[in-house]
Amino acid sequence: MGDDTTHRKSVNQSLAYIERHLTQSIGPDDVAREGRFSQRHFYRIFTSIIGTTAANYIRDRRLTKSAAELVHTNFGILDIALKYHFQSQEAFTRAFKKRYGVTPGHYRTYSKSLIKKEKMDMSRQTIPQGWSVTGNRVEDYEIALDKKEVHSGTASVKLHSVKVRAEGFATLMQMFSAERYLGKRVRLTAFVKAEDVKGWSGLWMRVDRKNGDLLQFDNMQNRPIQGTQDWKLYSVVLDVSEHSHAIAFGVLLSGEGKVWGDQFRFEEVDEKTPTTGQDSDDQMPIEPANLDFEYS
């Protein structure tokens, strides 16, 4: 149980190192050393948790940052390629086209024209398809797609307060059938970035019965995302019993600040992976206690 938590903490330390050095040379020893394991052992852990090798992850993060600079800056393509450690514009173009399907030049032209169109159409719906927004003070927050600050691909979701001393919370969420995961332990993971979060933020997941009663819940309130944090991988793990009907999940923000979410993923895990539910650390007593109230 402790190994999983230790490994994820180690990988997040390496992710923070990678983010700080995307425009610098990153050697395999550097990343493994940051993770505080031997190189061979660390890279096995990294791949199992992130789902790709460290080399692929670094390349993809550099391509993502490059794509953002193509759209939101006027730097030359060669300048951007060299900044993110591609040996030449040709090498950058090959890698970029493999990832995005178009050359950097075409990507820049198309994306900038799309942004102009979106600005002209102020009524354009920016809530991602398949998602919904809820909360007890939604009017204090704004939730929209962000194509500038992205972890992977071309967009992330951004939640930020639009009112000084924002109260309550707002969340971007989905709900789906629990049928696929009945009787299984499920882990929700996502990459989250935070900026000046004065309240708290977190991933959350809830498992419900058919009548709506709550079976399992965790919103990371006991391990909140606060302050300013670069992209890190966070997780919630819950058991989905045979009586479950629906699973709801999302990312929330309570109070002032900004958070971004990207790359949500569900996976089945074994019983060695500890759950994170709010009652997961509470053990039921073997027998009743203090029945005559003699102990205060």
Side-chain angles (χ1 to χ4, degrees):
M1 292 175 64
D3 284 349
D4 185 76
T5 301
T6 300
H7 291 171
R8 287 179 174 273
K9 183 178 179 180
S10 174
V11 167
N12 265 330
Q13 289 172 338
S14 72
L15 295 181
Y17 176 86
I18 291 170
E19 289 298 314
R20 295 194 304 268
H21 294 82
L22 284 174
T23 60
Q24 302 171 33
S25 178
I26 303 176
D29 286 339
D30 300 326
V31 180
R33 189 182 308 113
E34 195 70 20
R36 300 178 183 177
F37 283 97
S38 67
Q39 185 179 135
R40 183 177 180 181
H41 184 46
F42 175 76
Y43 280 110
R44 187 166 61 249
I45 294 170
F46 189 100
T47 301
S48 68
I49 291 176
I50 300 300
T52 188
T53 65
N56 286 341
Y57 179 86
I58 293 168
R59 183 201 61 209
D60 289 347
R61 285 296 295 139
R62 284 173 167 166
L63 285 170
T64 299
K65 298 288 282 188
S66 300
E69 292 207 17
L70 285 169
V71 179
H72 300 285
T73 76
N74 293 317
F75 295 135
I77 293 176
L78 178 58
D79 295 330
I80 294 173
L82 295 178
K83 178 179 179 179
Y84 289 101
H85 281 254
F86 291 91
Q87 294 182 342
S88 65
Q89 184 167 331
E90 291 74 20
F92 175 59
T93 298
R94 286 196 300 271
F96 194 94
K97 189 173 182 179
K98 184 177 181 180
R99 174 76 185 278
Y100 292 98
V102 295
T103 65
H106 285 145
Y107 183 89
R108 168 173 268 175
T109 301
Y110 173 76
S111 297
K112 286 193 172 185
S113 65
L114 185 62
I115 288 174
K116 288 181 180 179
K117 182 179 178 182
E118 290 177 353
K119 287 182 177 178
M120 293 175 64
D121 184 9
M122 299 303 293
S123 64
R124 183 181 177 89
Q125 176 60 264
T126 56
I127 302 301
Q129 181 179 352
W131 296 80
S132 61
V133 176
T134 187
N136 59 1
R137 290 295 293 270
V138 174
E139 65 275 12
D140 288 0
Y141 301 87
E142 183 175 289
I143 302 178
L145 287 174
D146 191 331
K147 297 185 178 181
K148 186 175 182 180
E149 185 56 66
V150 181
H151 184 266
S152 181
T154 60
S156 67
V157 67
K158 178 183 179 182
L159 296 78
H160 68 102
S161 56
V162 294
K163 182 179 178 182
V164 177
R165 299 191 186 91
E167 299 179 353
F169 74 95
T171 179
L172 183 74
M173 65 162 290
Q174 285 194 46
M175 180 178 285
F176 65 98
S177 171
E179 182 176 357
R180 177 181 173 185
Y181 295 108
L182 293 179
K184 300 176 180 178
R185 181 164 293 182
V186 176
R187 175 162 56 208
L188 163 68
T189 60
F191 284 92
V192 179
K193 177 177 180 176
E195 182 179 309
D196 296 328
V197 175
K198 294 182 173 60
W200 67 282
S201 177
L203 301 181
W204 64 270
M205 179 163 59
R206 190 184 72 228
V207 182
D208 295 338
R209 291 180 182 270
K210 190 170 185 178
N211 64 3
D213 287 348
L214 183 150
L215 288 171
Q216 293 282 314
F217 178 68
D218 179 27
N219 62 2
M220 290 183 56
Q221 193 166 13
N222 61 348
R223 55 194 192 287
I225 301 170
Q226 295 176 311
T228 296
Q229 304 280 345
D230 217 323
W231 289 107
K232 289 185 178 180
L233 185 67
Y234 296 91
S235 64
V236 170
V237 182
L238 296 178
D239 287 324
V240 181
S241 75
E242 296 289 350
H243 306 292
S244 303
H245 176 70
I247 299 173
F249 70 98
V251 57
L252 68 85
L253 174 62
S254 176
E256 295 181 51
K258 303 175 185 177
V259 292
W260 291 262
D262 204 354
Q263 293 177 275
F264 283 76
R265 184 176 69 172
F266 279 90
E267 60 182 332
E268 180 185 349
V269 295
D270 59 32
E271 61 182 13
K272 295 180 181 178
T273 303
T275 60
T276 62
Q278 293 181 346
D279 61 350
S280 61
D281 293 328
D282 295 336
Q283 299 296 324
M284 185 176 295
I286 297 176
E287 56 186 30
N290 199 21
L291 301 182
D292 54 5
F293 308 104
E294 294 300 314
Y295 301 96
S296 59

